[in-house]
Structure formats: C-alpha cells, structure tokens
C-alpha cells in the first residue's frame, strides 16, 4: 500500500465529554464493531470514580489502566481507527488538552437529560480554538431527557457551534421508538435487547410512505414528518468541507449503553472525518504525505514498575513512515536516537512494530530524554507548535522534607513535570519552587509518587497565587519592562522551559499590572500566538 493510501485509511480521533455522559460506554461499543473486543465490559473505565479522590490504590490502578487505554486502535471496514483516550476527571484536564493536539477530529458526547455541562464547554472551546472537526453524539435516548430541538439550541448557544442534525430521535425515554437516520435515509427501530447486536435500518427514501405509520404508529409518524420538515427549514444541509474546517458540526442521537445509533455514527464518521492532517511547525507547514518522517511527543507515561524508571513517550506520526531501529533527530536535544522496540497499540494490547504511518501513535521507551512537545525528524530542524501550558488553578510551595534526599526530590520533580503531571515555577529571587496544578488531587498524587518511585519526601506550604501569567519577552532596554521587573521582583519566576512568569496574587493585580505597564504583555497560556491578545 502506498503512503497516501495508508494515510487515507486512517482516522485518529478523541472522544470528549463531561464525566458520566457515556464516553467509556461509547468507546467500548465502537471497539465492539471493530471486533477489537468480544463483549461489553472489556474496556475498563479510565476515570477516577467519584469519592475516590484520596484513594491512592485507585490512582495507581487507574494509571495502569490508562497506559492500556491510552490509544485504542481497531479496523473497521477498510479503515484503521485510532481512538486517543482522554481522562474525564477535571483535575486531569491538562492531559486532555494535550491529547487534543494529536487528534484529527473529535466526537463530543452529551447526556440527553443533562445537556451541555461544564467540562464539555471547556473542552469544546479548546477544539474550537484549533478548528478541530467535531461530531456531537447525544446519548442516553432511552432515558427521559430534553426536547431534541431545545438541546440542539443549547449546543449552539453554549458551545458556540453550528449544528446540522444527521439523525433525529422518535420519542424519548419510555416512548423512545428509534431514530431516523437522515444521513442514510433509514429508519432504525429501538429494542433494548440490541445491546450486543447491530440493528438493521429500514430504508425510507420517502417519509410520506404510509408504511412508516405501520412501523411507528400514526401519531409518531406524523410528528416525525413535521419535525424533519422543521430540521430541513432551520438547519443548513451537511457540507463536508465546512465540517472539516471546524465550521459545521453534525449531530447524532442514540444510546451507547443499548448500542443504538452507534453504528450509524461510526459509518458516517469513517466517511466524513478527516484523514491525518498537515501540521504547522515553527518553520513551515508539514504535509502528512511528505515521505520524510516527522512526529511529536504529546504524552509521557511513567512505567508502572517503580523499580524501572523508564517511561513511555507517546509520539504522533505527522508525516512519512516511522521505522524501527532507524536514526531520528531529537530536535531539542540535537541528538540522534534510534528505537529498537517501538510499541504500537491494537485494541488493548501493545505490540512491537516495524513501521507506523501518519495518524498512528508509537510508544517509545524513554529513560528521560523526552519532554512533552518534543519533535523527532529525519534531520530537519523544525519543531511542532501548539502544546501550550495553561495557567494552573492551584499553587503551593514545595519543600524538601528529608535533607538527605534532596537529589531524589529534584530528580523526581523534574521527571514528574516532564510527564506533565503539574507545572513547576522557580522564583527568581530566592530559587524557591512553586508547584501549580489544575486540580487539588495532583498534589497528593505528586507526594505519593515522589515517595514511592523516587524515595523522596516533600511537604507543601500555602502560597498566595491566583494565576500564572507568561510574560512576553520585550526589549530589555524598555524602561517600563525594567520597572515592572524591579517592582514585581518577588513574584517573578521561571517555568520549566525558562520562560519568565509573573505569579499574580489576584485578578485585580493582573488588571492593575496591565494598566500600569501596558507594554508588558501577560498571557495565561505559555504559547500565546494562539490566543493573540494578552489577558
Ligand atoms: P464516562 O466515561 O463519560 O464517564 O461515562 P460512562 O461510559 O462510564 O457512563 C456513565 C454511566 O452512564 C454508566 O452508568 C453507564 O452505564 C451509563 N450510560 C452510558 N450510556 C448510556 C445510555 O445510553 N443509556 C443509559 N441509560 N445509561 C447509559 P453507571 O451506573 O455510572 O456505571 P456502570 O456501573 O453501569 O458502569
């Protein structure tokens, strides 16, 4: 198969949702269609259950599972599908943001009763910023929920999307009769015994066909005809180009648990979703069809065995072919490296592969060379952009609790930060270290892992920081900048990459600082080209 054919048959995507909307269930049902698993219940949920936030065994167990479910690949029809798993827990949102840099499209799962929830809003915003193509799946139609039109409105308003329904529900909850698949012009009748089966659609080109009444009853048939007429009037017709550009979002309805509407979603997805895309680097746009290999690290996972410190770096292949035992340039380190046992992922298994193509994810064993965002090439000096750090929400001083273990602590912190567990800021004035996290849970995870994996112990101390603001470099002769640095000296720190960061203690301080020093540009994101305007 040619490189172009390999690329065209790949679909790499992520499923995002608010916890409990049905992401895990949907993933599992998709795998079922691919024959990657034989029965439901085989995919363990990669989520930390509610109420288990301090249960370290749970965290450790989840870490184990999340390696296995980081990438779930399967074949469906003639396509190779890679699902990149994203943690549902909000404390791990940063992980999800990073994974979104490696997908070519996403499916957004929404609970029909709960509608658009907080976590969905945040994740969709990130996808919108990057113009990632999105398909919406409205789940749990077997339960009483919101009216379909109200929900479509809510999705448009709260998520800022432009939707086009490609299927439509017939009734809901107790009265749920099925869906009309607008995309394929087929009627799918619901039976709650369909969990493991694929239901067959009945073709209906003309909805006025009286046969429709026989299937779903006269009242439901009339309502469906009216609703579909309204759909046609209100919503635009589907346009693949607009969808792939991130300007139009198709919507499907169904019930993941009952395996209903899932096949329709998958069949449409493989047809319309984009194959692996070109990606912008700091010097040029890299086309996936170029024959030279390029790729970047979007996730690092520590090995589960604490005695072996090796880690798995997840590399998304952007262009060309990644080959085993071949020298590649680690651009940031300026170092040639080759890999004798790169892992590919299939269903829930890891296996050593000789070749990987654009869209694929390769797991590379790493002893500390990789950081998130690092680029590998065949020799060209370029780095992929777009793995920003967002300002953490929680901050603490971290202190060494065992003077004999200072080295272990430094090493442990260094490696955990490479993995992206949290962010470390070193104060310019006195070298004290401040850890910033998205959720409070990470502080406990860090303490636990430092102790168990590095034999180091630490304690935390409160520090009054509201947000980390990355400071755009300016001319060092700029008097305003000099003044800013002098006055704010105590609050200035360096992040892991050495960028200057202002640790502001309140939203008011951020505002005042911007007013007082207008030429000093502050950003809540480490890579600020994406957001353009300062805070
Ligand atoms: P998540 O990964 O998005 O967090 O959600 P997950 O798939 O774990 O689903 C959350 C709950 O919603 C699960 O129930 C799951 O069985 C249920 N669910 C998923 N899809 C549907 C659906 O189409 N209809 C109905 N009625 N329920 C659905 P749970 O009781 O929390 O967990 P479990 O004990 O069943 O695993």
């Amino acid at each position: 198969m040619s490189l172009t054919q390999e690329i065209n048959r790949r679909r790499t995507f992520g499923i995002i949702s608010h916890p409990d909307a049905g992401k895990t269930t949907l993933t599992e049902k998709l795998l079922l269609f691919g024959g990657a698993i034989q029965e439901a219940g085989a995919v363990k949920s990669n989520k930390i259950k509610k109420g288990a936030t301090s249960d370290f065994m749970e965290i450790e167990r989840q870490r184990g599972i999340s390696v296995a479910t980081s990438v779930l690949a399967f074949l469906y029809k003639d396509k190779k599908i890679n699902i990149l798993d994203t943690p549902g827990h909000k404390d791990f949102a940063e992980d999800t943001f990073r994974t979104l840099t490696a997908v070519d499209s996403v499916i957004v799962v929404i609970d029909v009763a709960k509608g658009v929830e907080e976590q969905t809003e945040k994740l969709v915003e990130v996808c919108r910023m990057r113009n990632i193509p999105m398909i919406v799946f409205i789940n749990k139609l077997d339960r009483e929920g919101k009216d379909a039109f109200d929900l479509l409105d809510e999705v448009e308003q709260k998520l800022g999307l432009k939707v086009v329904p490609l299927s439509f529900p017939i009734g809901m909850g107790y009265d749920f009769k099925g869906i009309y698949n607008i995309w394929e012009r087929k009627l799918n009748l619901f039976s709650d015994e369909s969990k493991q089966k694929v239901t067959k659609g009945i073709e209906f080109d003309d909805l006025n066909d009286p046969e429709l009444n026989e299937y779903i009853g006269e009242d439901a048939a009339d309502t469906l005809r009216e609703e579909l007429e309204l759909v046609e009037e209100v919503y635009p017709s589907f346009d693949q180009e607009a969808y792939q550009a991130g300007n139009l979002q198709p919507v499907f309805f169904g019930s993941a648990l009952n395996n209903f509407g899932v096949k329709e979603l998958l069949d449409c997805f493989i047809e319309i979703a984009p194959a692996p895309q070109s990606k912008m680097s700091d010097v040029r746009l890299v086309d996936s069809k170029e024959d030279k290999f390029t790729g970047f690290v979007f996730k690092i996972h520590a090995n589960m065995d604490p005695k072996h410190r090796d880690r798995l770096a997840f590399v998304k292949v952007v262009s060309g072919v990644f080959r085993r035992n071949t020298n590649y340039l680690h651009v940031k380190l300026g170092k040639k490296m080759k890999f004798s046992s790169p892992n590919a992922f299939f269903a829930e298994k890891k296996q050593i592969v000789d070749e990987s193509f654009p869209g694929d994810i390769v797991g590379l064993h790493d002893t500390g060379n990789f950081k998130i965002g690092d680029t590998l090439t065949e020799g060209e000096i370029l780095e992929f952009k777009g793995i920003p750090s967002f300002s953490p929400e929680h901050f603490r001083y971290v202190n060494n609790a065992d003077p004999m273990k200072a080295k272990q602590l430094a090493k442990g912190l260094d490696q955990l930060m490479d993995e992206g567990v949290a962010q470390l800021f070193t104060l310019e004035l006195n070298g004290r270290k401040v850890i910033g996290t998205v959720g409070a849970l990470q502080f406990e995870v860090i303490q636990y892992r430092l102790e168990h994996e590095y034999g180091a112990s630490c304690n935390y101390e409160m520090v009054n920081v509201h947000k980390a603001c990355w400071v755009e470099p300016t001319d060092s002769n700029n008097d305003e900048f000099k003044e800013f640095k002098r006055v704010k000296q105590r609050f200035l720190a360096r992040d892991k990459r050495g960028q200057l960061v202002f640790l502001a203690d309140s939203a008011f301080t951020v505002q005042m600082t911007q007013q007082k020093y207008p030429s000093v540009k502050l950003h809540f994101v480490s890579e600020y080209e994406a957001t353009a305007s300062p805070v």
Side-chain angles (χ1 to χ4, degrees):
M1 215 182 281
S2 72
L3 177 61
T4 307
Q5 284 169 322
E6 290 285 6
I7 294 171
N8 287 343
R9 76 184 191 105
R10 279 168 168 74
R11 299 286 180 273
T12 301
F13 75 107
I15 304 180
I16 55 174
S17 75
H18 191 86
D20 278 343
K23 182 167 71 74
T24 312
T25 314
L26 179 64
T27 308
E28 187 174 276
K29 296 296 148 101
L30 292 174
L31 289 175
L32 214 52
F33 284 114
I37 53 170
Q38 300 310 318
E39 56 185 303
V43 179
K44 311 283 181 313
S45 124
N46 170 22
K47 62 177 182 179
I48 293 175
K49 294 260 186 225
K50 294 178 279 291
T53 47
S54 291
D55 181 345
F56 292 118
M57 286 320 288
E58 180 69 8
I59 293 169
E60 286 302 282
R61 197 179 65 78
Q62 296 295 347
R63 282 182 52 222
I65 292 168
S66 65
V67 172
T69 59
S70 286
V71 187
L72 294 157
F74 64 95
L75 296 172
Y76 181 70
K77 297 193 171 166
D78 58 342
K79 299 286 186 296
K80 161 126 193 259
I81 298 176
N82 296 312
I83 306 182
L84 306 195
D85 192 31
T86 54
H89 197 291
K90 75 171 179 12
D91 285 10
F92 294 93
E94 186 101 6
D95 258 7
T96 302
F97 295 147
R98 283 190 294 254
T99 300
L100 290 177
T101 62
V103 302
D104 296 304
S105 71
V106 302
I107 292 180
V108 186
V109 183
I110 291 173
D111 182 323
V112 70
K114 297 200 176 129
V116 173
E117 297 174 87
E118 189 196 341
Q119 196 64 4
T120 324
E121 276 185 66
K122 281 194 188 153
L123 294 169
V124 167
E125 198 187 323
V126 173
C127 295
R128 248 188 357 187
M129 264 167 53
R130 306 217 173 115
N131 301 319
I132 300 178
M134 286 180 255
I135 296 181
V136 178
F137 181 73
I138 297 188
N139 189 28
K140 307 197 186 180
L141 265 284
D142 57 317
R143 287 202 185 155
E144 283 313 320
K146 300 186 182 184
D147 170 76
F149 285 108
D150 289 349
L151 256 176
L152 292 170
D153 268 358
E154 191 178 324
V155 169
E156 292 209 318
Q157 307 276 325
K158 282 201 182 162
L159 299 179
L161 303 183
K162 183 105 201 76
V163 301
V164 46
L166 289 188
S167 81
F168 209 80
I170 306 165
M172 194 174 288
Y174 185 72
D175 285 328
F176 182 52
K177 292 195 166 58
I179 50 169
Y180 183 72
N181 183 342
I182 303 172
W183 173 249
E184 290 180 358
R185 298 195 155 272
K186 275 185 188 162
L187 178 73
N188 284 76
L189 296 178
F190 176 70
S191 132
D192 58 6
E193 281 152 15
S194 62
K195 284 185 192 182
Q196 304 293 330
K197 282 185 277 168
V198 181
T199 46
K200 255 197 142 50
I202 307 155
E203 263 168 68
F204 265 100
D205 249 349
D206 178 11
L207 280 170
N208 289 320
D209 190 334
E211 234 187 293
L212 182 66
N213 300 18
E214 284 169 34
Y215 282 111
I216 57 176
E218 203 176 319
D219 288 351
D222 284 344
T223 313
L224 179 65
R225 288 180 190 116
E226 277 166 29
E227 287 179 332
L228 289 177
E229 235 169 71
L230 200 58
V231 166
E232 222 166 278
E233 275 168 33
V234 175
Y235 298 100
S237 45
F238 176 70
D239 173 344
Q240 187 168 6
E241 228 172 85
Y243 152 69
Q244 290 202 352
N247 298 328
L248 188 68
Q249 289 77 23
V251 179
F252 281 86
F253 291 83
S255 165
L257 186 65
N258 291 291
N259 200 11
F260 194 77
V262 177
K263 183 177 180 297
E264 289 70 24
L265 171 73
L266 184 57
D267 282 339
C268 177
F269 169 82
I270 59 166
E271 244 179 82
I272 67 170
Q277 300 287 288
S278 310
K279 194 169 173 67
M280 199 60 195
S281 74
D282 55 349
V283 289
R284 65 182 184 90
L285 186 72
V286 178
D287 192 317
S288 54
K289 298 192 172 68
E290 292 177 20
D291 54 359
K292 289 219 161 77
F293 160 75
T294 61
F296 67 96
V297 177
F298 66 95
K299 177 177 179 134
I300 292 178
H301 211 296
N303 200 306
M304 285 304 292
D305 183 353
K307 285 185 221 82
H308 297 100
R309 265 227 205 103
D310 74 326
R311 310 180 292 180
L312 208 54
F314 290 79
V315 173
K316 158 109 188 253
V317 180
V318 176
S319 67
V321 186
F322 175 91
R323 293 194 169 85
R324 190 157 88 99
N325 280 327
T326 304
N327 268 315
Y328 293 118
L329 177 69
H330 183 309
V331 178
K332 184 138 260 132
L333 299 182
K335 187 169 154 182
K336 288 261 166 141
M337 299 173 78
K338 64 177 167 189
F339 306 91
S340 57
S341 51
N343 282 293
F345 305 85
F346 204 77
E348 296 158 278
K349 295 187 200 75
K350 275 195 302 183
Q351 58 198 38
I352 292 176
V353 277
D354 291 325
E355 288 185 331
S356 297
F357 298 92
D360 284 343
I361 310 300
V362 213
L364 303 178
H365 289 282
D366 171 43
T367 46
N369 285 309
F370 286 117
K371 286 189 178 43
I372 284 169
D374 284 348
T375 300
L376 286 174
T377 70
E378 287 193 17
E380 189 175 349
I381 311 288
L382 61 80
E383 289 193 74
F384 288 108
K385 306 206 293 189
I387 305 207
S389 300
F390 291 85
S391 172
E393 302 288 330
H394 304 265
F395 298 84
R396 305 254 197 287
Y397 278 126
V398 54
N399 299 320
N400 183 9
D402 181 349
M404 306 296 286
K405 301 278 174 64
K407 255 194 184 160
Q408 284 87 333
L409 181 71
K411 181 162 188 186
L413 279 176
D414 200 45
Q415 295 208 347
L416 292 181
M417 300 306 133
D418 284 353
E419 255 183 60
V421 177
Q423 294 179 56
L424 191 70
F425 303 99
T426 308
L427 287 175
E428 289 231 290
L429 195 63
N430 53 19
R432 286 197 75 179
K433 295 192 183 323
V434 173
I435 288 183
T437 66
V438 178
L441 180 57
Q442 269 103 334
F443 290 111
E444 296 176 54
V445 174
I446 292 167
Q447 208 166 29
Y448 178 85
R449 290 191 56 191
L450 282 172
E451 194 180 327
H452 287 79
E453 290 168 38
Y454 299 91
S457 65
C458 74
N459 55 42
Y460 299 116
E461 207 179 301
M462 294 306 285
V463 53
N464 186 19
V465 178
H466 161 71
K467 279 265 157 70
C469 310
W470 278 265
V471 183
E472 208 172 303
T474 26
D475 175 9
S476 52
N477 292 323
N478 175 341
D479 286 338
E480 210 169 79
F481 186 58
K482 281 190 200 153
E483 178 67 5
F484 162 79
K485 282 190 74 168
R486 194 184 60 77
V487 174
K488 300 294 181 190
Q489 202 178 23
R490 284 195 308 128
F491 307 99
L492 293 178
R494 293 278 165 184
D495 73 0
K496 224 173 162 236
R497 295 201 185 263
Q499 281 177 273
L500 188 65
V501 180
F502 170 47
L503 300 176
D505 59 7
S506 69
F508 182 69
T509 304
V510 178
Q511 204 187 346
M512 291 312 290
T513 308
Q514 283 284 239
Q515 272 175 19
K516 207 161 166 206
Y517 311 102
S519 68
V520 179
K521 303 268 187 309
L522 304 176
H523 302 268
F524 289 147
V525 180
S526 67
E527 242 184 57
Y528 27 78
E529 294 91 339
T531 55
S533 58
V535 293

